[in-house]
Amino acid sequence: MAKAAVIGSGIGGIAAAVRLAVKGFQVTVFEANPTFGGKMTQFSLPGGYRFDAGPSLFTLPHLVDELFTLAGRNPKDYFNYQRLPVVTQYFWPDGTRLTAHAEPDAFAHEVEQKLGVPQEQLQRHLQKVARLYHATESTFLHKSLHRLDTYLSKDVLKTLPALPELGLATTMHAANARAFKDPRLVQLLDRYATYNGSDPYQAPGTLNLIPHLEFNIGAFYPEGGIYAIAQSLVKLAQELGVEFRYQEPVQQILTQGKQAVGVQTEQGEYPAQLVVSNMDVVPTYRRLLPQQPAPEKTLQQPRSSSALIYYWGISRTFPELDLHNIFFSQDYRQEFQHIFQQGSVSEDPTVYVNITSKYTPTDAPAGHENWFVMVNVPHNTGQDWETLIQQTRQHALQKISRALGTNVEALITAERVWDPKGIEADTSSFGGALYGSSSNNRMAAFLRHPNFTGKLKGLYFTGGSVHPGGGIPLCLLSAKIVGELVPAPSTTVPA
């Protein structure tokens, strides 16, 4: 049986392993950490608080279901989820509170009531976003942008007419500011740049398609939290014969001529007909392929933002909060200038609070909540993170406490922190950048590393640092693209 080696067990690596196993490969996944998941892990703090460590938002759940169906399984036997009635609770410094209902019409009505924007205006906007998304997703998300056959496919016929409306020549913020006059709604829509670690004042208007995922399709919550996604897919992979080798980091990708022929770890060499790297593309080249010419222009693309995450056990409940909550800054432009121009953290950051105990009560003791508190920050370039952690903690506490009229710090009973240095060390994400490169120029989508390399046959790439990008749905799509690019075992060039 033809062998495949997958480096890393993040969601992209797990999904790629499933697809390759279904295709007929004998798959081995090599993971440096003691368990699977990459950023999608879980942990507990004293007192009975459970946390998902990394990703907290779940959209496009059919991409997970698809893997079970592909393997001839019933997804419901492994993995269940529910559509959220409320996507996010928003809080502004002026005291405005807005509930982003999942149903587009209810959301538009709420925006009219709270922000004074006519609901028909937002409804038309969401309808336009839906139309553009459906016209472009097959070309830009489901296929490689680095192969000629993508542009010769019939899907391009749907995409071409939509190109003038995609906002490639403008920024997200400029497009949103033209569409709406209320600065709070503009800020809400600009926020979606952070979904791939970018700056709405630089990123192209194309990224304004992202809200479609939440407001037209929906946001979802998996039973057992985000970790359940990785857990269920690992179970499926193991049933398909995939072997997971934990605490066995790959030291080198083995090559012969212009062919990848396996991997090497401290335990020895593992021959394989193909290798898939789920590691960030920068350390893949720098550490695992030191003798191979690296795509320097791609590797030197500006990094995405990272995060400071505070995991707090909170000794009371807040009915006004939901699963997802945003406390906005007063000056959004200044906040992003700090991140991307100054490499620092604003004194008035936007703060995101995720509380899974709202949907999984056992994630916290009765009468308590588990708060995942995140601030977008620059990737690690040697900043004084110890100082920034303490400063940002105080700024976040002040903002949340002011909005809720409560001294939140007095309620913290347990705490852990994850900063960009820790994210980099734990997940091999270069600089702790959560999404690889940023999308802060209009050609960014085409500048991401492809899911293959023309330099080495049999070497493929999946995960957030390559096409189509970061986040759970895009990582799953990167694995899907790899699965479609890989030839069937019978036609694979032997090592």
Side-chain angles (χ1 to χ4, degrees):
M1 180 181 286
K3 295 181 179 180
V6 177
I7 304 168
S9 64
I11 189 64
I14 300 168
V18 168
R19 290 184 176 276
L20 293 175
V22 169
K23 203 155 191 171
F25 286 91
Q26 180 181 333
V27 185
T28 302
V29 179
F30 297 87
E31 171 57 55
N33 288 306
T35 188
F36 56 83
K39 301 179 187 73
M40 193 185 288
T41 56
Q42 68 172 0
F43 66 90
S44 296
L45 289 182
Y49 302 97
R50 190 205 73 88
F51 295 88
D52 287 311
S56 58
L57 176 68
F58 184 39
T59 57
L60 301 185
H62 70 275
L63 295 175
V64 177
D65 290 342
E66 182 179 279
L67 291 164
F68 294 102
T69 304
L70 186 69
R73 308 299 207 272
N74 180 356
K76 299 299 182 187
D77 292 339
Y78 296 78
F79 179 64
N80 290 281
Y81 51 86
Q82 60 179 297
R83 191 174 191 266
L84 298 175
V86 170
V87 177
T88 307
Q89 294 285 1
Y90 288 100
F91 299 79
W92 279 272
D94 66 1
T96 302
R97 295 185 180 187
L98 183 145
T99 299
H101 298 282
E103 295 302 325
D105 291 347
F107 175 49
H109 179 73
E110 175 82 357
V111 167
E112 181 175 84
Q113 294 296 308
K114 299 292 181 65
L115 307 183
V117 177
Q119 62 181 358
E120 296 81 5
Q121 188 178 357
L122 182 56
Q123 287 167 332
R124 287 194 299 271
H125 177 78
L126 293 177
Q127 290 165 3
K128 174 185 174 182
V129 168
R131 175 173 54 81
L132 294 176
Y133 180 87
H134 290 302
T136 57
E137 64 167 326
S138 294
T139 299
F140 292 145
L141 298 181
H142 291 255
K143 293 184 174 68
S144 171
L145 294 182
H146 304 82
R147 288 173 59 93
L148 179 61
D149 54 8
T150 295
Y151 303 97
L152 298 177
S153 72
K154 62 181 181 180
D155 291 322
V156 171
L157 297 177
K158 290 194 306 180
T159 300
L160 289 175
L163 291 179
E165 296 184 84
L166 286 180
L168 285 168
T170 189
T171 66
M172 287 185 73
H173 175 75
N176 288 327
R178 280 198 304 270
F180 301 101
K181 300 306 179 186
D182 189 280
R184 292 164 296 183
L185 181 56
V186 172
Q187 188 176 29
L188 188 157
L189 295 173
D190 282 353
R191 181 177 82 86
Y192 288 90
T194 66
Y195 281 34
N196 73 354
S198 301
D199 175 358
Y201 300 91
Q202 298 183 65
T206 316
L207 297 191
N208 282 324
L209 299 186
I210 296 174
H212 168 73
L213 303 185
E214 289 185 8
F215 295 121
N216 291 319
I217 299 176
F220 300 81
Y221 181 74
E223 289 184 8
I226 293 292
Y227 178 72
I229 301 172
Q231 190 175 41
S232 63
L233 290 177
V234 166
K235 180 181 178 182
L236 172 64
Q238 290 174 329
E239 290 180 4
L240 295 173
V242 176
E243 179 187 9
F244 288 82
R245 299 184 68 90
Y246 299 114
Q247 294 182 296
E248 190 170 348
V250 170
Q251 298 174 324
Q252 185 178 350
I253 295 173
L254 302 174
T255 62
Q256 287 183 3
K258 295 184 177 181
Q259 175 81 31
V261 296
V263 300
Q264 180 178 325
T265 75
E266 281 190 354
Q267 307 301 318
E269 294 186 356
Y270 296 85
Q273 279 66 56
L274 65 92
V275 176
V276 179
S277 178
N278 183 217
M279 181 187 277
D280 186 301
V281 69
V282 176
T284 296
Y285 278 99
R286 301 295 190 222
R287 288 191 227 159
L288 308 186
L289 291 165
Q291 307 305 318
Q292 296 292 325
E296 295 299 337
K297 186 176 180 180
T298 298
L299 300 191
Q300 292 171 16
Q301 288 294 310
R303 296 293 95 188
S304 79
S305 59
S306 185
L308 268 177
I309 308 174
Y310 305 88
Y311 308 92
W312 293 337
I314 299 292
S315 62
R316 59 159 282 194
T317 61
F318 287 82
E320 63 268 50
L321 299 180
D322 211 286
L323 176 66
H324 303 294
N325 309 274
I326 289 288
F327 298 83
F328 274 124
S329 63
Q330 183 70 47
D331 189 335
Y332 219 30
R333 185 185 294 272
Q334 183 186 71
E335 183 178 351
F336 283 97
Q337 286 175 343
H338 272 84
I339 296 171
F340 289 100
Q341 273 81 53
Q342 300 175 27
S344 63
V345 186
S346 168
E347 293 184 358
D348 177 27
T350 293
V351 181
Y352 165 71
V353 179
N354 175 254
I355 311 172
T356 61
S357 59
K358 296 289 186 181
Y359 281 81
T360 305
T362 55
D363 281 356
H368 293 226
E369 292 180 342
N370 64 333
W371 284 22
F372 167 112
V373 180
M374 187 186 83
V375 173
N376 292 304
V377 301
H379 72 283
N380 177 40
T381 57
Q383 296 93 327
D384 179 1
W385 287 111
E386 290 305 313
T387 298
L388 287 173
I389 287 169
Q390 294 306 315
Q391 291 176 345
T392 304
R393 182 182 189 274
Q394 289 307 309
H395 296 149
L397 282 166
Q398 290 166 10
K399 178 182 292 290
I400 300 170
S401 297
R402 186 165 52 247
L404 299 179
T406 302
N407 179 6
V408 172
E409 185 170 21
L411 303 174
I412 299 173
T413 64
E415 181 172 17
R416 178 184 288 189
V417 180
W418 208 17
D419 67 0
K421 285 176 63 178
I423 293 170
E424 181 174 23
D426 295 339
T427 69
S428 294
S429 301
F430 182 65
L434 296 181
Y435 306 93
S437 58
S438 71
S439 294
N440 288 341
N441 69 69
R442 64 183 181 180
M443 296 305 291
F446 300 92
L447 296 174
R448 296 188 78 86
H449 194 286
N451 305 98
F452 64 95
T453 171
K455 304 293 186 181
L456 286 171
K457 292 182 179 180
L459 178 59
Y460 299 87
F461 301 85
T462 185
S465 69
V466 299
H467 177 71
I472 297 171
L474 298 191
C475 287
L476 291 170
L477 286 171
S478 74
K480 183 175 183 177
I481 292 170
V482 167
E484 292 173 350
L485 289 174
V486 168
S490 60
T491 60
T492 303
V493 177

